[in-house]
């Protein structure tokens, strides 16, 4: 077995931590190592500056009880804060229930087989809830807040946590053996998305297995490529001479639900699924280098030619798009909407602008990559769903330039305008879209610290940009919008579009929050002084705005080593004196990140997606060694010896009912 061992450790875990510009992340220290080296709180407190630094960064107000402080500053949230920390279980604020709604392997249809982790098959997985739930959306049915379709992305797979007998410990580190074709097929069926009917009965959410819209989308679901790049030669393969038909979707991270009720699945780290080498002199070489293709984390190319560049050199151009799914028909063909560009799309949250155009905000999750938005050409018709179904076919894609003076511009990615011409290698709009990143480069867009979720807020008219971290930014690369070198903990930018018009081509911006431990002066975090030791966080990733316009932030990358806490869901004030006050509402079990989060229209339920639980735990005293199928740091959520850890979506509700955090 040793000779055949895969040379890479935890390939998909590293894939999730997006790397910069095509460098192989496998040689990089983990985020936790970087942080502990650079910002060790323990070491820092032993230093002579400790007392004066804390005195300088914590005002006397912080010494008041948190409740008194909140009352004094007018926080928009009311709940008893969770204590930050690390352990094997999840924790929600007192007075709330966090009920498991859907676990990896749960049945979605009347004929779904029961989950049997030691006898997994691709056929069974394709009828069950997939792995590593990320985006969560809710599409009400019949206008009711207690009945609807839950749509969930399944971003990636962790073979060392999924399959028995796959890894062994060598010199304290896990070594993973090669996957069988059946295991690869299970992985492909565990990716994609779930559409499932749910209903709230007597206060508790239930899955409706008989739901006629229930559906699994996988890496084997046929999709259509639409929009300006459809049919371009660069999208043609031996299996598809038209350049319009593609099998599957990859690495669906965050997403969105459109105003007309379709489900958006964003394709993020698609580069990791490709292996092999391009034929010598192939014209896509520089394009692929810009996207880090191939990264070779997955083994699918050993069994399927479409993931091997030497056999299907154009296939990677067919991924990295925004996918739109009509959830009203379980046989509808999902559409890859090329008008929204090809990047490592984190998500695609949308809002209707004053002029009726629909605006989609898009983050490209890579160090030094860009923030985009797409403005539809047509306008939204709230009374005619069918009339909206192709709004994503035409419109203008813009990339953000954040100026030092707090102004910003949205630069159009339109062929023939500015430098986007044939002289610069863009022969058509298709080229601009296939090489969206390079188009942003030549336009001079602002290089950001890994853009994640970008969320418009209808209530206050602002837009919130999660920038998760970028430890590669050097001191001479900082700018006003990315103000910290070696930005280990990330920050959040607040955009105000000109005249409150989400379709505007200019606006203003400011930093809402620089994240990290505010008691360590060197970190430079800017949480309000009312934020408690539980309330600060690092690495913002996803976020949600509830119907009251309040901001909720979920994180990816906190750990015992990095921040002394797991990831979680934080309530972040944006208004008045309480601005930049954060409080911990929910936290995940060891090894997990928190995705989702999503509030139902009545604000009575928060759905959260606990992704990759048990992936880690070496740095936590409760485990202290590598975590894998046979020796897991947690067996959440079942805590049964014969059940592996299972990524799951939870429904958080107030005990006895009512709106959350009021
Ligand atoms: Fe899949 Fe950008 O997190
Ligand atoms: Ca994410
Ligand atoms: Ca969001
Ligand atoms: Ca993530």
């Amino acid at each position: 077995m040793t000779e055949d061992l895969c040379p890479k450790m935890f390939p998909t875990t590293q894939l999730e931590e997006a790397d910069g510009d095509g460098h192989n992340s496998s040689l990089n220290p983990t985020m936790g190592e970087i942080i502990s080296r650079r910002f060790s709180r323990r070491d820092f407190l032993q230093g002579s500056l400790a007392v004066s630094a804390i005195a300088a960064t914590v005002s006397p107000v912080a010494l008041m009880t948190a409740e008194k402080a909140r009352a004094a500053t007018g926080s928009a949230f009311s709940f008893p804060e969770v204590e930050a920390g690390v352990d094997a279980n999840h924790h929600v604020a007192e007075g709330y229930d966090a009920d498991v709604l859907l676990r990896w392997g749960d049945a979605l249809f009347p004929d779904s087989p029961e989950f049997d982790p030691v006898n997994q098959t691709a056929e069974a997985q394709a009828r069950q809830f997939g792995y590593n739930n990320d985006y969560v959306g809710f599409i009400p049915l019949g206008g009711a807040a207690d009945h609807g379709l839950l749509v969930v992305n399944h971003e990636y797979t962790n073979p060392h946590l999924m399959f028995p007998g796959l890894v062994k410990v060598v010199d304290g580190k896990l070594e993973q053996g090669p996957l069988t074709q059946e295991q690869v097929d299970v992985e492909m069926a565990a990716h994609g998305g779930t559409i499932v009917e749910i209903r709230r009965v007597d206060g508790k959410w239930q899955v409706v297995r008989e739901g006629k819209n229930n559906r699994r989308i996988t890496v084997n679901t046929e999709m259509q490529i639409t929009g300006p790049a459809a049919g371009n030669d660069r999208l043609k393969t031996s299996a598809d001479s038209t350049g319009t038909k593609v099998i599957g979707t990859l690495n669906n991270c965050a997403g969105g639900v459109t105003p007309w009720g379709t489900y958006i699945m964003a394709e993020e780290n698609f580069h990791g699924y490709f292996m092999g080498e391009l034929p010598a002199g192939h014209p896509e070489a520089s394009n692929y280098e810009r996207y880090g293709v191939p990264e070779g984390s997955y083994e699918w190319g050993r069994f399927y030619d479409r993931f091997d560049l030497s056999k299907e050199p154009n296939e990677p151009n067919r991924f990295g798009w925004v996918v739109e799914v009509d959830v009203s028909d379980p046989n509808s063909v999902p559409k890859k909407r090329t008008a929204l560009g090809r990047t490592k799309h984190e998500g695609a949250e949308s809002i209707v602008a004053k002029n009726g155009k629909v605006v989609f905000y898009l983050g490209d999750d890579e160090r030094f990559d860009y923030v985009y938005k797409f403005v539809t050409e047509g306008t939204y018709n709230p009374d005619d769903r069918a009339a909206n179904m192709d709004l994503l076919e035409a419109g203008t894609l813009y990339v953000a330039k954040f100026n030092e003076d707090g102004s910003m511009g949205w630069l159009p990615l339109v062929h023939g305008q500015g430098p986007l011409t044939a002289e610069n290698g863009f022969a058509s709009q298709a080229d601009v879209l296939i090489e969206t990143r390079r188009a942003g480069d030549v336009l001079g867009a602002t290089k950001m610290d890994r853009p994640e979720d970008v969320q418009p807020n209808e209530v206050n008219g602002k837009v919130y940009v999660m920038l998760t971290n970028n430890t590669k930014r050097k001191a001479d690369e900082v700018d006003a919008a990315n103000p910290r070198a070696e930005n280990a903990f990330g920050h959040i930018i607040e955009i105000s579009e000109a005249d409150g018009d989400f379709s505007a081509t200019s606006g203003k911006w400011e930093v809402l929050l620089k994240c990290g431990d505010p008691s360590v002066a060197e970190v430079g975090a800017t949480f309000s002084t009312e934020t408690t030791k539980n309330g600060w966080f690092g690495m913002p990733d996803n976020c949600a705005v509830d119907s009251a316009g309040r901001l909720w932030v979920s994180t990816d990358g906190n750990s015992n080593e990095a921040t002394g806490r797991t990831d979680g869901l934080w309530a972040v004030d944006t208004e008045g004196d309480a601005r930049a006050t954060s409080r911990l509402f929910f936290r995940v079990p060891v090894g997990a990140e928190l995705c989702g989060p999503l509030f139902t229209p009545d604000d009575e339920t928060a759905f959260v997606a606990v992704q990759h639980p048990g992936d880690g735990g070496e740095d936590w005293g409760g485990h202290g060694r590598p975590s894998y199928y046979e020796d897991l740091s947690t067996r959440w959520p079942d805590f049964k010896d014969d059940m592996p850890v299972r990524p799951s979506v939870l429904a958080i509700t107030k005990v006895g009912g009512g709106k959350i955090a009021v």
Side-chain angles (χ1 to χ4, degrees):
M1 183 176 175
T2 312
E3 286 171 356
D4 292 324
L5 285 173
C6 175
K8 289 193 175 175
M9 302 298 121
F10 302 113
T12 53
T13 302
Q14 293 179 336
L15 177 65
E16 166 61 10
E17 293 247 335
D19 190 32
D21 298 353
H23 297 295
N24 188 329
S25 62
S26 63
L27 298 177
N28 296 335
T30 66
M31 182 58 64
E33 287 166 350
I34 292 166
I35 291 167
S36 61
R37 207 181 297 153
R38 181 83 176 85
F39 297 113
S40 168
R41 183 154 192 266
R42 186 186 59 242
D43 293 348
F44 185 82
L45 290 175
Q46 287 167 350
S48 59
L49 290 174
V51 174
S52 60
I54 287 176
T57 55
V58 181
S59 84
V61 178
L63 301 175
M64 297 164 61
T65 66
E67 278 304 329
K68 280 183 188 163
R70 276 189 289 279
T73 56
S75 171
F77 301 94
S78 176
F79 61 86
E81 187 167 44
V82 172
E83 189 172 343
V86 181
D87 62 41
N89 214 338
H90 67 269
H91 299 269
V92 68
E94 197 181 331
Y96 292 83
D97 287 330
D99 299 313
V100 176
L101 178 65
L102 281 160
R103 301 164 296 184
W104 168 48
D106 275 347
L108 296 172
F109 306 91
D111 67 350
S112 297
E114 285 302 306
F115 182 54
D116 181 356
V118 297
N119 295 296
Q120 296 177 53
T121 67
E123 191 182 10
Q125 178 64 83
R127 306 294 284 171
Q128 298 164 335
F129 195 61
Y131 206 77
N132 272 346
N133 30 226
D134 197 305
Y135 177 75
V136 179
F138 179 76
I139 302 171
L141 288 172
D146 58 0
H147 182 210
L149 298 177
L150 198 73
V151 296
V152 182
N153 282 351
H154 301 295
E155 187 184 22
Y156 72 107
T157 44
N158 294 111
H160 65 292
L161 303 177
M162 294 172 69
F163 300 122
L166 189 64
V167 299
K168 61 181 181 180
V169 181
V170 178
D171 296 332
K173 293 194 169 167
L174 296 183
E175 287 191 1
Q176 182 175 308
L179 271 63
T180 64
Q181 182 161 4
E182 182 70 43
Q183 287 170 329
V184 164
D185 290 345
V186 170
E187 282 196 298
M188 293 168 76
H191 276 69
T194 287
I195 299 162
V196 64
E197 187 175 328
I198 58 170
R199 186 186 289 278
R200 194 176 179 196
V201 180
D202 296 331
K204 296 294 182 188
W205 288 94
Q206 301 173 353
V207 168
V208 182
R209 289 186 193 173
E210 296 74 22
K212 64 179 176 51
N213 303 105
N214 292 3
R215 179 177 190 182
R216 271 303 318 282
I217 290 167
T218 74
V219 177
N220 290 312
T221 302
E222 185 174 320
M223 308 200 166
Q224 187 186 348
I225 301 172
T226 76
N232 187 274
D233 285 347
R234 301 174 72 179
L235 302 185
K236 292 175 181 170
T237 66
S238 61
D240 172 28
S241 61
T242 70
T244 59
K245 264 195 271 180
V246 59
I247 306 299
T249 181
L250 293 174
N251 207 263
N252 304 97
C253 190
V257 167
T258 64
W260 51 97
T262 55
Y263 163 32
I264 301 286
M265 311 169 72
E267 296 187 321
E268 197 190 41
N269 291 311
F270 64 90
H271 61 302
Y273 298 83
F274 296 94
M275 60 182 1
E277 285 186 24
L278 276 179
H282 196 279
E284 298 296 348
S286 64
N287 168 26
Y288 289 179
E289 189 178 348
R290 183 66 178 84
Y291 289 88
V293 175
E295 205 268 352
S297 289
Y298 284 78
E299 300 176 46
W300 302 356
R302 287 171 42 218
F303 304 103
Y304 298 99
D305 288 353
R306 61 191 168 113
F307 298 108
D308 183 339
L309 292 188
S310 69
K311 294 168 180 161
E312 286 293 353
N314 282 350
E315 192 73 39
N317 279 337
R318 295 144 64 82
F319 295 88
W321 303 104
V322 162
V323 183
E324 183 179 21
V325 185
D326 179 358
V327 297
S328 68
D329 172 6
N331 297 310
S332 68
V333 177
K335 293 177 177 173
K336 296 200 178 187
R337 300 294 196 179
T338 63
L340 281 75
R342 176 170 168 269
T343 71
K344 294 178 186 173
H345 285 288
E346 165 70 21
E349 301 276 13
S350 59
I351 194 161
V352 181
K354 285 191 275 194
N355 57 11
K357 293 175 187 275
V358 188
V359 183
F360 288 76
Y361 288 93
L362 311 161
D364 182 1
D365 183 0
E366 190 111 46
R367 298 176 183 114
F368 303 109
D369 261 293
Y370 308 133
V371 172
Y372 299 84
K373 77 175 179 185
F374 176 79
V375 181
T376 59
E377 186 178 295
T379 55
Y380 171 61
N381 183 342
D383 303 317
D384 185 355
R385 183 173 189 268
N388 302 313
M389 291 302 281
D390 281 321
L391 275 178
L392 293 183
E393 280 302 274
T396 304
L397 182 65
Y398 300 89
V399 67
K401 184 171 173 60
F402 295 87
N403 302 317
E404 297 287 312
D405 64 357
S407 67
M408 67 176 298
W410 291 102
L411 314 175
L413 279 75
V414 176
H415 181 252
Q417 290 189 17
L420 302 179
T421 58
E423 295 79 68
N424 288 317
F426 299 103
S428 65
Q429 184 64 14
D431 284 344
V432 170
L433 295 169
I434 292 168
E435 295 186 73
T436 297
R437 284 183 167 183
R438 191 167 72 83
D441 295 343
V442 301
L443 286 170
T446 304
K447 297 177 191 300
M448 309 300 289
D449 287 346
R450 284 188 60 194
E452 301 265 17
D453 210 354
V454 185
Q455 189 83 37
N457 182 338
E458 193 158 26
V459 176
N460 69 3
K462 308 282 174 61
V463 181
Y464 293 92
V465 184
M466 304 297 117
L467 297 157
T468 197
N469 60 63
N470 181 0
T471 52
K472 289 190 175 173
R473 186 177 292 275
K474 298 186 178 73
D476 62 358
E477 294 173 319
V478 300
D479 56 35
N482 300 277
R484 287 188 291 186
E486 297 182 55
N487 180 7
F489 303 104
H491 57 290
I492 299 174
I493 284 179
E494 180 184 68
I495 294 173
S496 304
E497 301 276 26
D499 303 320
D501 175 6
F502 290 105
S503 71
T505 55
S506 65
K508 293 181 176 163
W509 65 271
E510 60 183 288
V511 174
L512 170 67
L513 199 52
K514 290 186 241 177
C515 305
D517 185 347
S519 74
V520 180
E522 191 185 13
V523 169
T526 59
F527 289 95
S528 81
T529 51
E530 285 72 38
T531 301
T532 74
K533 66 180 178 20
N534 302 307
W536 64 267
F537 57 83
M539 306 85 163
D541 188 334
N542 292 119
C543 65
V545 169
D546 63 23
S547 64
R550 301 178 303 176
L551 180 65
W552 299 80
V553 174
S554 67
T555 59
D556 173 14
N558 292 270
S559 68
N560 200 42
E561 184 181 30
T563 54
R565 59 201 59 210
T566 61
D567 285 314
L569 182 63
W570 276 267
V572 179
D573 277 293
T574 58
E575 310 300 323
D577 291 342
R579 184 169 164 91
T581 301
S582 170
R583 300 164 69 190
L584 179 56
F585 180 70
F586 173 86
R587 69 173 161 96
V588 297
V590 62
E593 71 170 278
L594 190 67
C595 305
L598 190 277
F599 285 74
T600 47
D602 59 6
D603 285 345
E604 291 200 3
T605 303
F607 292 110
V608 293
V610 176
Q611 194 189 64
H612 62 78
D615 187 18
E618 295 92 329
D619 65 341
W620 168 54
H623 192 65
R625 56 194 184 277
S627 175
Y628 61 105
Y629 189 95
E630 285 82 5
D631 187 18
L632 291 160
S633 55
T634 178
R635 290 189 183 273
W636 187 88
D638 301 318
F639 295 105
K640 290 181 181 165
D641 289 345
D642 60 351
M643 269 295 161
V645 62
R646 301 167 79 179
S648 302
V649 170
L650 309 188
I652 300 175
T653 52
K654 195 182 246 180
V655 175
K659 291 182 187 296
I660 288 175
V662 295

